[in-house]
Each structure stands twice: as C-alpha cells, then as structure tokens.
C-alpha cells in the first residue's frame, strides 16, 4: 500500500487547521453572546476533535525518516534547467524521491536502466542488490554511499555508484563507468607480467652459464668459448628487449602529440634498406623507384623505425632466397578539400604467410605466431606494436594481407603533404 493512502497530504492538514480555527471562533462568539450550554459543548467537542486529529496525524516520513513530500512535488522541485544540466552529464545520473522512485533519469543512464525508468522504483530498473542496499541505507538516513558493481550482460561492464542525499529530500545516484579504466589496468598488469617473463628467460640462461663457468667448465676452454657466445647472444636479446620497451613507452607517451616535420618516405626507405642489406643476400630487397619525393608530415626517426621493423620482418619471416619487394604509391584525395591524399608503401615477402585468425593479433605486444621462430631470429614480439603506435601518432594505418604459403604484404598509409605546384604538372 502506498504511503499516500496511510496519511493525509499537507492540503488535508490545512483543512483541519481551518476547521479548528472556525470552531474556536464560533466558541468565542457563543461565549461572548453568553447562554449557550448546548452549542458550547458541541462546538467545544468539534474543536477538540479537530485539534486532536490534526495533532494525532503524524507528519509523514519516508522509509528512513526523510520528511516526505509527494513524489510529484519532488519531481517538480527539479527545475527544467536542473534537468537540462543533468542531461549534459555524460555519465548516468538518477534522482530518486524519498520512496526510492526515479523522478529523473538522464539519457546517459539509458544503457543501464532503460529508456522509461522515470516513475518506477529503482529496484524495478536496476537489479543489482548491492546498489539497492546502498540506496536503502541512504534513504534510511546515511548521507552517502559509494559502491562498486558489475553488469555481466550484454557485455561485462564495471561501474561505481555514488549515492548521496541532496540538500532537500531527494537522493542523487551518479554512476561512473570504470570498464575502460579496469581494462587498461589489466592490460598494464599483463604487460608487466609479459615483459618480466621475456627478460627472465635470457637472464636465467646467463646466470646458469655463469654458474657452469665457475664450476665444472672452469678449465674446459672450448666449452667456455661456446658458453660465452651464448651469453653474449642472450645479453643482446635483453638489450633489444629493453630498447623496444623504452621505445614503446616513449611513443605511447607522445601518441597524442602529432608530429610537425616533413619527411620524404622514399628517402627514409632507401636509408633503411642500406642498413638492413647486410642481413640478406645481395639483390634480395627490390625497391620500386620513386619518381618524386613522397612527402608526409612525420617524425623521421619514428618513420625509420616503422620501415626498419617491417622490412626486417619481411627478411626474417620471408622465404630463404625469396624477394622482399617495396612499392610506393600516392593515392590522391578525391577533392582538394579532403587534403593532400595519402602516401602508400607496400612491403611484400614470399614467406609462409600468416593465418587469417592471427592477423588481427599481430600488433598486440608480445604476440608471436611462432615464439620459438621469433626468438631464433632475434625477435622481441614488440616490433609491430611499435609500428602501430607510431602510425597512430602519424594518423596513418597499417594493413596486413597474407595468403598462407604465398607470403604477406604489410601496407602503410600515411597522410601526404601537398606537392609544390610544379610537382602537379
Ligand atoms: P617479432 O619480434 O617476433 O618479429 P613483431 O611484433 O615484429 O615481433 O611481429 C609479431 C609476429 O608477427 C612475429 O613473431 C611473426 O610471428 C609475425 N610476423 C611479422 N611479420 C611477418 C611476416 N612478414 N611474415 C610472417 N609473419 C610475420
């Protein structure tokens, strides 16, 4: 049964007060006029009944002792401008009356409580026991509560609800979506765990060989030479890993700060090929001639790292004796208003290729299709993650295509710089 049926509203209270006043005036009149025993006793009784009833009716209170107003009045207390302001908040906000009914729900709350939450009890729109209990505690007198909760369907989401009694009689429920923050925390924790694991393996090898060299291999010259060689390879692996980790961190920190310089991508690629050529047979890397400078807005060192990682991968994972082809293109924008078009660089190898399922995961940190093979070739599992972050900073993108058995093509798209007028002729 609603409380409205149990107790009169303030309108009723005013009527009783009026009745009492009329009775008192009448009594006074009769007394002044004298001689009225019967009317006196009737009027006295009426006045006392009115007064008693008025005083006996308790002031209505909400479940937790909040002095009560009708829900409609509570809702009316929320002015249109207050509602407009709450609509602008991009996190869910609900206002409840002292009975726990929703008198206002902003648009951002719809994914959480549905589109027609208003006028319903909070327990009908949010079925999370811990939040409902906290709401009850605030309705019951607590000044505020903060509670973390998760919603599992349709997709898992983590939230934190702040439930506060407003200055008046209403209760404010603010909800923060913590899903992204939680996901970032998990990623960071995974990253630290993976990085320590990657470092622990070569470190364990180096430590093991130090013990062996101090022990039974102390006087075994050929064994010592062999072990020192392995230790040097493992130490180099640790150094590469630390360099890649530092690069990745630096690039990530800078990712929202786009580069300002202008770089000729064709020149960068020629320099990269010159550095990597000793790693492969002569003539194995085939570069298409660029007819004109391919200018992009970018950071030369970072773009060097992008093409170094991609061309090195094409050498590492390409077919022994097969070619690595580098092609350039300029994709003009459909109209001048849409910018200067894009510079496109495709790096194609003739290796084993990559399965369809693995392609979307290649730019994840430490993801490797074949861990043993990557390690044998000096890989850290961070090269493509670094490429992705550099391209994000440059507003570029990476496209990976592969036909298992036939090879892979890694294509880089970078926003171009308009050529001087002569270049367009
Ligand atoms: P890694 O240091 O292991 O080479 P990357 O991040 O550069 O790390 O690459 C991640 C994984 O992607 C590699 O371990 C490899 O399995 C796969 N990969 C990268 N480039 C190629 C390629 N050209 N052909 C086949 N597989 C590749």
């Amino acid at each position: 049964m609603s409380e409205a049926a149990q107790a009169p509203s303030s309108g009723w209270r005013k009527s009783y007060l009026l009745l009492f006043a009329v009775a008192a005036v009448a009594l006074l009149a009769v007394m002044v006029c004298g001689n009225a025993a019967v009317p006196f006793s009737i009027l006295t009784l009426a006045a006392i009944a009115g007064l008693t009833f008025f005083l006996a009716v308790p002031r209505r209170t909400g479940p937790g002792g909040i002095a009560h107003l009708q829900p409609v009045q509570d809702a009316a207390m929320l002015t249109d401008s207050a509602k407009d302001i709450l609509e602008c908040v991009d996190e869910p906000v609900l206002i409840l009356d002292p009975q726990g009914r929703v008198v206002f729900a902003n648009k951002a709350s719809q994914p959480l409580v549905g589109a027609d939450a208003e006028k319903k009890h909070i327990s009908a729109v949010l079925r999370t026991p811990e939040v409902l209990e906290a709401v009850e505690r605030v309705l019951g007198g607590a000044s505020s509560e903060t509670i973390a909760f998760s919603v599992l369907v349709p997709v898992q989401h983590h939230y934190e609800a702040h439930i506060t009694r407003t200055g008046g009689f209403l209760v404010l429920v603010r909800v923060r979506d913590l899903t992204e923050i939680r996901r970032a925390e998990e990623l960071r924790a995974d990253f630290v765990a993976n990085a320590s694991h990657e470092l622990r393996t070569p470190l364990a090898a180096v430590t093991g060989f130090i013990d062996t060299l101090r022990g039974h291999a102390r006087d075994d010259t050929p064994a010592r030479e062999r072990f020192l060689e392995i230790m040097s390879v493992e130490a180099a692996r640790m150094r590469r890993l630390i360099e890649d980790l530092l690069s990745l961190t630096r690039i990530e920190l800078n990712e929202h700060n786009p580069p300002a310089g202008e770089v000729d991508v064709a020149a960068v690629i020629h320099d990269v090929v010159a550095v990597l050529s000793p790693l492969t047979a002569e003539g194995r890397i085939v570069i298409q001639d660029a007819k004109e400078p391919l200018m992009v807005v970018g950071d030369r060192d970072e773009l060097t790292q992008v093409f170094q990682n991609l061309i090195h991968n094409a050498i590492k994972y390409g077919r022994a004796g097969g070619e690595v082809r580098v092609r350039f293109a300029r994709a003009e924008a459909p109209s001048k208003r849409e910018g200067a078009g894009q510079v496109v660089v495709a790096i194609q190898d003739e290796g084993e290729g990559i399965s369809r399922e693995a392609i979307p995961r290649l730019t994840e940190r430490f993801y490797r299709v074949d861990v043993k093979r990557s390690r044998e070739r000096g890989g850290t599992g961070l090269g493509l993650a670094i490429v992705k972050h550099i391209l994000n900073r440059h507003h570029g993108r990476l496209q990976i295509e592969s036909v298992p058995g036939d090879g892979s093509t890694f294509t880089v798209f970078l926003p171009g710089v308009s050529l001087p007028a002569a270049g367009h002729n």
Side-chain angles (χ1 to χ4, degrees):
M1 191 167 69
S2 82
E3 286 193 41
Q6 291 169 7
S9 69
S10 59
W12 277 72
R13 287 160 56 83
K14 278 187 197 141
S15 311
Y16 291 131
L17 201 57
L18 196 66
L19 181 66
F20 172 65
V22 169
V25 170
L27 176 60
L28 204 64
V30 168
M31 284 170 72
V32 170
C33 298
N35 144 33
V38 172
F40 175 82
S41 54
I42 291 171
L43 286 170
T44 306
L45 274 175
I48 290 170
L51 179 63
T52 311
F53 190 73
F54 175 71
L55 294 176
V57 173
R59 263 175 73 72
R60 282 177 61 206
T61 54
I66 300 177
H68 185 75
L69 292 172
Q70 288 278 29
V72 65
Q73 286 172 305
D74 292 333
M77 284 169 68
L78 267 183
T79 60
D80 285 348
S81 49
K83 288 182 182 175
D84 287 346
I85 292 169
L86 293 176
E87 279 300 359
C88 295
V89 178
D90 56 4
E91 291 189 326
V93 175
L94 304 174
I95 308 279
L96 311 181
D97 73 9
Q99 277 86 43
R101 272 177 297 225
V102 179
V103 293
F104 173 78
N106 69 352
K107 276 209 185 63
S109 69
Q110 289 186 3
L112 194 64
V113 296
D116 52 357
E118 286 179 13
K119 300 197 178 69
K120 290 184 182 160
H121 195 270
I122 179 79
S123 59
V125 295
L126 193 65
R127 300 181 193 279
T128 318
E130 52 273 44
V131 179
L132 297 177
E133 282 161 19
V135 167
E136 277 303 317
R137 284 195 291 276
V138 173
L139 290 172
S143 64
S144 73
E145 290 268 340
T146 299
I147 201 99
F149 66 103
S150 299
V151 173
L152 301 178
V153 282
V155 266
Q156 192 173 32
H157 267 265
H158 302 287
Y159 297 102
E160 187 175 72
H162 299 271
I163 304 147
T164 328
R165 193 113 59 87
T166 64
F169 307 105
L170 303 172
V171 169
L172 173 75
V173 181
R174 277 183 306 129
V175 181
R176 281 178 68 206
D177 190 342
L178 301 181
T179 315
E180 282 307 313
I181 297 174
R182 285 276 169 83
R183 206 164 283 156
E185 281 166 3
E186 280 166 19
L187 278 179
R188 198 174 301 271
D190 281 356
F191 177 61
V192 171
N194 282 332
S196 345
H197 174 77
E198 293 289 333
L199 279 170
R200 204 173 291 141
T201 316
L203 191 62
V206 171
T207 321
F209 285 122
I210 290 173
D211 290 344
T212 314
L213 286 173
R214 280 191 177 140
H216 63 85
R218 185 198 301 255
D219 301 318
D220 181 344
T221 311
R224 199 174 59 213
E225 286 309 310
R226 212 172 55 248
F227 293 159
L228 283 173
E229 177 55 31
I230 300 172
M231 285 164 73
S232 151
V233 168
E234 294 299 325
R237 183 140 77 99
M238 282 194 279
R239 196 181 54 242
R240 270 198 311 279
L241 195 62
I242 290 166
E243 277 166 5
D244 278 0
L245 284 169
L246 289 176
S247 269
L248 195 55
T249 310
R250 204 178 43 243
I251 294 157
E252 268 188 314
L253 284 176
N254 222 0
E255 196 167 321
H256 302 292
N257 175 20
E262 290 191 4
V263 181
D264 176 6
V265 167
V268 166
I269 290 175
H270 277 93
D271 291 350
V272 167
V273 171
V275 171
L276 293 178
S277 293
L279 299 180
T280 183
E282 212 184 318
R284 211 186 130 196
I285 307 176
V286 181
I287 315 180
Q288 178 194 347
D289 270 344
K291 294 182 188 66
E292 57 187 14
L294 291 168
M295 302 305 290
V296 298
V297 177
D299 176 309
R300 192 183 171 94
D301 289 346
E302 289 190 357
L303 292 178
T304 300
Q305 200 166 4
V306 164
F307 294 109
Q308 211 159 8
N309 290 359
L310 293 176
I311 296 172
H312 194 191
N313 277 355
I315 298 169
K316 283 192 295 190
Y317 304 108
R319 183 168 57 84
E323 278 186 354
V324 171
R325 279 185 287 275
V326 184
R327 285 174 289 129
F328 307 107
R330 208 174 214 292
E332 295 301 337
S335 75
K336 275 225 161 112
R337 241 192 303 144
E338 284 163 75
Q342 296 206 304
V343 167
V344 186
V345 182
I347 295 141
Q348 186 180 16
D349 66 59
E350 298 174 345
E352 275 175 26
I354 307 153
S355 71
R356 226 180 138 78
E357 310 79 70
I359 288 180
R361 300 202 56 194
L362 292 187
T363 53
E364 285 175 23
R365 297 153 189 205
F366 296 115
Y367 179 82
R368 285 170 279 205
V369 178
D370 180 341
V371 178
K372 190 162 166 275
R373 194 159 162 207
S374 155
R375 289 219 174 112
E376 279 167 8
R377 285 153 209 231
T380 59
L382 293 173
L384 291 180
I386 291 175
V387 167
K388 182 180 84 175
H389 284 284
I390 294 179
L391 292 182
N392 283 349
R393 182 175 177 230
H394 284 73
H395 298 297
R397 71 187 169 90
L398 176 70
Q399 175 184 293
I400 307 173
E401 293 159 302
S402 185
V403 180
D406 265 5
S408 314
T409 305
F410 287 70
T411 310
V412 171
F413 295 83
L414 285 163
V417 173
S418 302
L419 290 178
H424 283 300
N425 291 336

